Amino acid sequence: MFKKKPTASEVDGVQYRRAKTWQIICYACNALVGMSVYSLIGMASYSASIGYGITTAAVGIILTCTRILDGITDPLLAFVYDRVNTKFGKLRVLLVAGYLIEAVALYAMFTGFSSKGMGLVAFTLLYVVYVIGYTTTNMTAQTIPAIMTNDPRQRPTLGVWTTAFNYLVPMVMSMVLNVVLLPKCGGTYNQAFLTAACNITLIVAAIGTLLVCLGVSAFDKPENFVGTKKAEPLKMADIVEVLKHNKPLQCYIASNASDKLAQQVGSQAIINTILGGIIIGNIGLGTILTVISMVPSIFFAAFGAKYVGKHGSKKGIVNFTCISMVITAVMVVFFLVIDPKQIGVMGSPAMIIYVILSLLQNGSNMCITTSNTSYMADAIDFELDRSGRYIPAVVSGTYSLVDKLITSFAAVIATGAVALLGYTATMPQPTDPCTPAIFWMGMVLKFGLPIIGWIITLIAMRSCPLTKEEMVNVQKRIAEKKAAAQSEFYKEQLQ
C-alpha cells in the first residue's frame, strides 16, 4: 500500500503557510517587469551616446552615480513600505506606482527626449526618475516570497519559477531585440532600434505588473505584515541595527553582491557585443546559441529546488557555487584552445561544445539563484525571530543598499574597459575586428569576474549560521512567540 509522504509541517512540527501554484507562477511573472527592463537598461550606454551625445567615459560615471543613488533609495523605501496601507493593499499599490514611474522615465529616455538635442543633464535626470520607479517595484517584489510561504520545501519551488522566468525573459527579449529587431534597423544600435526596443519592453512590463498583482492579492492584507512584538514606527537606526546584528544577512551581502557585480558587468550590452559579435563573430547566432543552451538548463532549477528543500539554502549556495567555478574555468580553457570564430559556424564541433558548456554553466547558475531566493526569505524570518519585528522591506532594503553600492561599479567597469580598448567616443559594434586585447578583455569580464565573485561567496558562507536545522528552530520559535503574543492580546482585551 502506497504511503503518503509526510508534509514539512508534520515532519518539523510547525504549521507552515503555503501558496497555490498559480499564485507562485503569477508572482514569478515579476520577471516580465524586472528582466525586460533589465534588458533595456543594459542599452542605456547606447541611448546616452546616440540620443544625447554623451561620451563613453561620461556614460560610465553617470550610470555609476545613479546606481549608488539606487542603493540609497532602497532602504528609504522601507519607510514608505511601512506606511502604505490602503483598501487596495500595500504590495499592489507599490507595484503599480513603481511601474508607472519607470515607464514614464524609460519612454522619455529612449524615445520621447532621445535624439532631440537634449544633453547630459536631461539624460541624468531621466535616469534618476527611472531609478526611483525601479526601486519601488524591485524592493516591493523582494519582500513577497517571505510573505507567500514559509514552508522550507515550497520556498525553493518558488525559487524555481522565479529563476526560470528570470532566465527565460531576458533570453526571449534578447532574441526579439538582437535576432528580429536589430537586423530590421540596419544591424546597428541606432535611434529607431532603441525606440522600438523601449516600446516592446514597456508593454511586456505592464503585463507582468498585472499578473504579479493578481498573484499576491490573497496575501496583500494587514495581518500578514505583523511581527511578534508591538509595531513601532521605523527609524534609520533600525537599518543600522539590522545590518549590525543579522549575521545571515551579512553573509548574503558579501556573497550575492560580489556575484551580481560580475553578472552585471558581463550582461552589459557592450560586453555581449564583444563576446558574441566580435570574438565569436556572429551576434545573431551567438544569441540563438545562448537561448539553445539556456532553455534545457532551466530544468536544473527544479533539481536545485529539491536539493535546497532537503539540505537548506546555505548548503545549496555553497555546493552549486563550487560546480559553477569548475565549469566556468573549463569554458575559459575552451576559448583558449580553439578558434572562437568556429563557434559562430552552425553545426561545427566548437559550436556544439560551446552549447554543452553553456548549458552546464547556466544550469548550475540557476541552482545558485534558486538557493538565493530561498535564502533571502530565510534571512527575513531570521530577523523576525531575532528582533520580534516583521520588517521585510528593511532587511531586503539593507541588503540592496550595500549590494548596489558595490554593483554600481558594473557600468563604469564595462565602459572603462572598452575605453581602454580604444572606444572613447564610440561603442563596440558587431562588425569590429577581434584583436588580442579585445579577446582577453572579453574573457576577463565575462568569465574571470564571476570566478572571483564565487570565491568571495565560499569565504562568506563559511561563517553563516543559517543551516537547514537552524531554520526549523527559527520557525518554531516564531510560531511560539506569535501564539504567546496573541494570548497576551486576548488577556488585555478581557481586562
Side-chain angles (χ1 to χ4, degrees):
M1 186 74 178
F2 176 75
K3 187 176 180 181
K4 185 179 178 181
K5 186 177 180 180
T7 65
S9 294
E10 293 169 339
V11 173
D12 298 338
V14 180
Q15 188 57 50
Y16 294 118
R17 64 182 178 277
R18 292 175 59 85
K20 297 176 182 177
T21 301
W22 72 266
Q23 293 170 325
I24 292 175
I25 294 173
C26 282
Y27 163 70
C29 287
N30 181 62
L32 294 174
V33 188
M35 299 312 297
S36 63
V37 171
Y38 184 74
S39 298
L40 179 66
I41 208 65
M43 295 182 285
S45 54
Y46 283 99
S47 178
S49 176
I50 296 167
Y52 299 85
I54 304 173
T55 64
T56 304
V59 170
I61 294 173
I62 292 171
L63 297 184
T64 297
C65 291
T66 50
R67 180 74 176 174
I68 293 173
L69 172 65
D70 190 8
I72 294 172
T73 57
D74 282 347
L76 294 180
L77 180 71
F79 295 92
V80 178
Y81 185 99
D82 189 55
R83 287 166 173 76
V84 172
N85 291 291
T86 73
K87 64 179 181 179
F88 301 107
K90 178 196 297 281
L91 303 173
R92 287 166 293 177
V93 170
L94 290 171
L95 288 170
V96 172
Y99 166 74
L100 292 176
I101 296 170
E102 265 187 316
V104 170
L106 291 172
Y107 182 81
M109 186 192 309
F110 283 87
T111 302
F113 294 162
S114 187
S115 297
K116 300 291 193 303
M118 302 289 183
L120 185 147
V121 174
F123 178 83
T124 303
L125 289 176
L126 290 174
Y127 204 98
V128 168
V129 175
Y130 151 74
V131 164
I132 294 172
Y134 169 82
T135 297
T136 305
T137 299
N138 186 56
M139 285 299 305
T140 302
Q142 283 187 30
T143 67
I144 294 175
I147 296 169
M148 293 183 77
T149 177
N150 65 345
D151 188 315
R153 294 182 187 174
Q154 191 177 56
R155 273 186 174 170
T157 302
L158 191 146
V160 171
W161 287 101
T162 55
T163 299
F165 276 76
N166 282 339
Y167 278 88
L168 276 174
V169 171
M171 274 195 305
V172 174
M173 291 295 292
S174 182
M175 288 287 289
V176 171
L177 299 181
N178 291 327
V179 179
V180 178
L181 191 59
L182 188 60
K184 291 184 177 181
C185 296
T188 60
Y189 294 98
N190 52 42
Q191 184 56 54
F193 171 79
L194 294 174
T195 297
C198 179
N199 292 338
I200 292 171
T201 297
L202 295 184
I203 292 172
V204 172
I207 295 171
T209 300
L210 293 176
L211 289 172
V212 176
C213 288
L214 177 64
V216 303
S217 59
F219 305 94
D220 200 5
K221 300 175 182 177
E223 58 265 28
N224 290 328
F225 298 92
V226 296
T228 60
K229 291 183 178 179
K230 185 177 180 181
E232 297 178 0
L234 286 178
K235 305 180 292 294
M236 284 299 297
D238 293 326
I239 296 174
V240 177
E241 203 268 344
V242 168
L243 183 59
K244 184 177 179 181
H245 297 289
N246 192 315
K247 183 66 174 179
L249 181 62
Q250 295 171 2
C251 297
Y252 186 70
I253 288 172
S255 166
N256 211 34
S258 58
D259 291 352
K260 282 183 68 177
L261 175 61
Q263 178 193 29
Q264 291 192 13
V265 171
S267 64
Q268 294 289 312
I270 50 179
I271 305 304
N272 287 325
T273 298
I274 287 176
L275 183 68
I278 300 176
I279 296 177
I280 294 178
N282 190 335
I283 193 168
L285 180 60
T287 302
I288 294 172
L289 293 180
T290 300
V291 173
I292 292 173
S293 64
M294 189 73 76
V295 174
S297 62
I298 290 175
F299 294 102
F300 282 73
F303 167 77
K306 201 171 183 83
Y307 185 89
V308 172
K310 184 177 180 180
H311 300 285
S313 305
K314 174 187 173 180
K315 197 166 185 179
I317 291 173
V318 171
N319 289 345
F320 291 123
T321 292
C322 293
I323 294 172
S324 290
M325 287 178 64
V326 173
I327 296 170
T328 302
V330 173
M331 180 73 88
V332 174
V333 174
F334 171 67
F335 268 88
L336 291 175
V337 300
I338 64 146
D339 175 10
K341 298 293 183 185
Q342 291 299 309
I343 297 174
V345 179
M346 180 61 76
S348 67
M351 188 208 79
I352 295 172
I353 295 173
Y354 176 76
V355 170
I356 293 173
L357 287 175
S358 296
L359 167 67
L360 297 173
Q361 183 185 50
N362 293 332
S364 60
N365 288 347
M366 285 182 183
C367 291
I368 294 175
T369 304
T370 300
S371 303
N372 283 335
T373 301
S374 177
Y375 187 99
M376 174 52 82
D378 289 349
I380 290 172
D381 284 346
F382 178 89
E383 181 61 29
L384 172 58
D385 175 43
R386 187 192 71 82
S387 67
R389 304 182 68 183
Y390 191 67
I391 44 177
V394 172
V395 176
S396 58
T398 303
Y399 155 71
S400 290
L401 168 62
V402 182
D403 167 70
K404 288 177 181 176
L405 288 176
I406 296 172
T407 59
S408 62
F409 294 98
V412 78
I413 290 173
T415 54
V418 298
L420 290 175
L421 295 173
Y423 294 98
T424 54
T426 60
M427 293 293 179
Q429 294 291 347
T431 54
D432 294 346
C434 181
T435 65
I438 288 177
F439 173 82
W440 282 108
M441 189 66 75
M443 291 298 101
V444 169
L445 297 181
K446 197 69 179 179
F447 304 121
L449 284 182
I451 292 176
I452 295 173
W454 290 325
I455 292 173
I456 294 173
T457 292
L458 295 179
I459 295 172
M461 284 297 161
R462 289 185 63 182
S463 59
C464 176
L466 214 56
T467 61
K468 161 76 172 175
E469 296 73 23
E470 178 58 21
M471 269 311 300
V472 172
N473 294 330
V474 165
Q475 297 296 353
K476 285 181 178 179
R477 289 194 294 267
I478 290 174
E480 291 169 358
K481 291 174 184 176
K482 282 192 172 183
Q486 191 174 41
S487 176
E488 186 65 28
F489 172 78
Y490 287 141
K491 287 181 181 178
E492 291 176 359
Q493 295 299 309
L494 292 174
Q495 291 176 356

